[in-house]
Amino acid sequence: MFKRSMRRCCLLIAAMALISGCWSSKEIEDLSMYAGLALDVGDPTPLERELERKGATYDKKNQITATIQIVPAHSSSSNQGDSSTKGKVPEFLNTTETGDSLFEIMRTYSTRRERAVIGHHLKTIVVSNRLLQKRGIDSIMDFVLRDNDIRPSCVVFVTEGRALDTFAKNASGTVPAQQLRDFLRNRFRTNRIMEGVNLTRLDALMRTRQSFVLQNVVAAKGELELSGAGVIKGASGKWIGSLSQTDVESISWIRGDGGGGAIKTYDWRGEPIVYEIESMKSKQKAKITGDDISFHVEIKSEGRFIENWDIREDPSKPKYMEKAEQLFEERLNVMLREFMRKIQTQYKVEVAGFGESLRIQSPKTWKKVKDRWDEVFSEVPVTFDIDLHITDFGSSTK
């Protein structure tokens, strides 16, 4: 009886040990969560230079400047000289450190902050194009992809200015790192916004060594805007140029993955007319003749004639609608041709999904050309067949 009781007690103690929680847990109040990471070319801030002058330095090369956006900041006194808070707790705190190892930089933050930083809630990474011109994206993002603290759902952007500037305080009082992530929700309103490239997707793109694009961010006077895209060359992993907002629209038409948007053009009197996209479909057909490759893209869309500045015309008339459809198709054709010229002649890269279509439709051909696909694609003929259909002209014609 005694032995049975002892056995039950041992089992109970063991069960309690198993369900008692994580042995290595840390209270969230003792940690600083950062929502954003901005990566720039190494250039120590005035504060860093002053600290180094007074002896706060270690063996390093100033190759990369990393800024983390901590939310929430726990005390206004922690805000590096930002007097605008006037004693109030700020919505976020930017902390910058320069070095040649992101991991070392992350640990160095602990020498300047009372709470250790943790990346479990990292939402956004913004990389400067200047940094991506000097170093390949695979080396820059190596630590981020290895670190178990950082979730693979984190989205990566590129900027042609300083990445740090995209994390500046704004008039709305929102956290810029979170705001950038939230912008992506508006894809259903405009096809100038790309599908976000998260770390999982980025890792896959880098492994294939194929060229790709990242959404570009511009910052001015505390405001942020998603504008165009940065082109990353697959072979080098470096930034080689930019695509415009119109080019981003063209990519969505070729892929057929846009959620919304518009086509604006001008009628025969020079007055603006606008087509609102309600649906779009695209089919890329690869044609293989010996060693020659070509593509034919069929694009179909339905939409609304949403705006007309020419008061002398009646949009309800069938003839006018036919002319308008033709004008919208011509405008889209011009957009696509300009985009193709840019990627095939200017940058000599393929970033619109043609390689994926070739891989699916002709695996043998893809196997032959995948290692030099950018070079091959620059000589590949691409034709378009566009069919836009206006379904209605809104609630009023006058």
Side-chain angles (χ1 to χ4, degrees):
M1 192 70 160
F2 176 75
K3 290 183 179 180
R4 186 179 300 174
S5 298
M6 286 295 294
R7 188 180 302 166
R8 288 178 178 176
C9 288
C10 290
L11 289 173
L12 182 60
I13 292 171
M16 290 176 65
L18 291 174
I19 64 173
S20 61
C22 179
W23 293 102
S24 60
S25 65
K26 292 183 175 63
E27 296 295 332
I28 195 168
E29 291 83 0
D30 297 330
L31 300 171
S32 289
M33 297 177 293
Y34 62 97
L37 172 63
L39 302 175
D40 287 294
V41 173
D43 183 18
T45 63
L47 174 60
E48 285 182 277
R49 294 185 188 279
E50 179 66 15
L51 291 172
E52 288 178 2
R53 188 180 67 81
K54 294 183 177 181
T57 186
Y58 58 92
D59 186 21
K60 63 175 180 175
K61 298 177 182 178
N62 292 328
Q63 293 188 356
I64 186 170
T65 293
T67 302
I68 56 173
Q69 188 158 88
I70 299 171
V71 288
H74 292 279
S75 65
S76 59
S77 61
S78 300
N79 195 352
Q80 304 168 1
D82 186 0
S83 60
S84 63
T85 58
K86 297 181 180 180
K88 296 180 180 179
V89 177
E91 294 295 330
F92 60 87
L93 167 68
N94 290 338
T95 301
T96 300
E97 186 72 28
T98 303
D100 54 6
S101 162
L102 268 180
F103 177 77
E104 190 172 41
I105 287 172
M106 290 296 174
R107 291 299 183 263
T108 303
Y109 289 134
S110 297
T111 66
R112 295 170 56 189
R113 292 286 167 260
E114 67 275 18
R115 294 176 175 85
V117 297
I118 187 168
H120 290 160
H121 296 277
L122 181 61
K123 305 293 184 184
T124 304
I125 298 175
V126 182
V127 189
S128 164
N129 71 320
R130 286 184 57 218
L131 179 60
L132 285 170
Q133 285 176 290
K134 290 177 175 289
R135 304 286 303 190
I137 193 169
D138 48 353
S139 60
I140 294 171
M141 304 301 293
D142 185 71
F143 161 71
V144 174
L145 291 169
R146 290 175 184 268
D147 190 7
N148 291 330
D149 284 351
I150 297 174
R151 295 178 180 178
S153 58
C154 174
V155 181
V156 182
F157 297 88
V158 67
T159 182
E160 292 188 39
R162 288 197 313 167
L164 170 59
D165 293 341
T166 65
F167 285 176
K169 185 177 181 180
N170 53 52
S172 65
T174 57
V175 179
Q178 182 63 57
Q179 186 181 32
L180 277 174
R181 178 68 176 266
D182 292 343
F183 281 166
L184 300 178
R185 298 176 181 175
N186 294 328
R187 286 194 75 229
F188 76 101
R189 300 292 287 178
T190 174
N191 56 348
R192 293 180 181 179
I193 298 177
M194 299 168 47
E195 184 178 1
V197 177
N198 61 28
L199 290 177
T200 301
R201 176 64 176 155
L202 180 65
D203 189 31
L205 289 168
M206 292 191 302
R207 288 179 184 276
T208 63
R209 308 296 292 178
Q210 303 301 316
S211 298
F212 59 94
V213 289
L214 293 173
Q215 184 86 61
N216 186 66
V217 185
V218 295
K221 296 183 179 180
E223 291 291 333
L224 299 175
E225 182 174 341
L226 302 183
S227 180
V231 181
I232 309 299
K233 181 75 172 178
S236 64
K238 294 184 177 181
W239 181 94
I240 60 170
S242 295
L243 298 178
S244 67
Q245 292 183 357
T246 305
D247 294 326
V248 171
E249 290 179 282
S250 297
I251 293 176
S252 74
W253 282 106
I254 292 172
R255 292 178 175 174
D257 63 357
I263 298 176
K264 183 191 71 176
T265 189
Y266 301 90
D267 69 8
W268 39 93
R269 293 191 181 91
E271 299 288 358
I273 54 176
V274 183
Y275 171 88
E276 181 187 11
I277 304 166
E278 292 185 318
S279 69
M280 66 164 66
K281 294 180 181 179
S282 174
K283 183 180 293 184
Q284 298 178 10
K285 295 181 179 179
K287 184 178 180 181
I288 314 299
T289 307
D291 292 332
D292 296 330
I293 304 170
S294 62
F295 285 94
H296 181 68
V297 183
E298 295 181 357
I299 295 174
K300 294 184 178 181
S301 172
E302 291 187 348
R304 179 180 293 112
F305 190 86
I306 195 64
E307 190 173 8
N308 172 37
W309 283 45
D310 194 340
I311 61 175
R312 286 174 287 184
E313 296 291 347
D314 183 358
S316 64
K317 292 182 178 179
K319 273 193 174 182
Y320 180 80
M321 295 290 273
E322 290 175 9
K323 288 182 180 180
E325 286 179 345
Q326 185 177 358
L327 288 173
F328 291 129
E329 289 174 356
E330 289 173 358
R331 171 56 185 161
L332 179 54
N333 190 62
V334 169
M335 290 166 53
L336 294 171
R337 288 299 170 194
E338 172 58 21
F339 168 71
M340 295 303 300
R341 181 202 65 78
K342 192 173 290 187
I343 65 171
Q344 288 190 303
T345 304
Q346 182 176 348
Y347 296 135
K348 296 185 183 299
V349 293
E350 194 282 287
V351 294
F354 289 101
E356 181 66 11
S357 296
L358 181 62
R359 183 188 68 81
I360 294 171
Q361 297 174 34
S362 182
K364 290 183 179 179
T365 304
W366 173 246
K367 190 175 182 180
K368 293 178 183 177
V369 302
K370 66 177 182 178
D371 293 333
R372 53 189 182 92
W373 177 234
D374 282 342
E375 176 187 347
V376 171
F377 182 75
S378 65
E379 303 294 334
V380 170
V382 180
T383 56
F384 295 95
D385 182 12
I386 301 170
D387 181 17
L388 304 185
H389 177 59
I390 298 174
T391 57
D392 65 87
F393 41 83
S395 60
S396 175
T397 61
K398 296 293 184 182

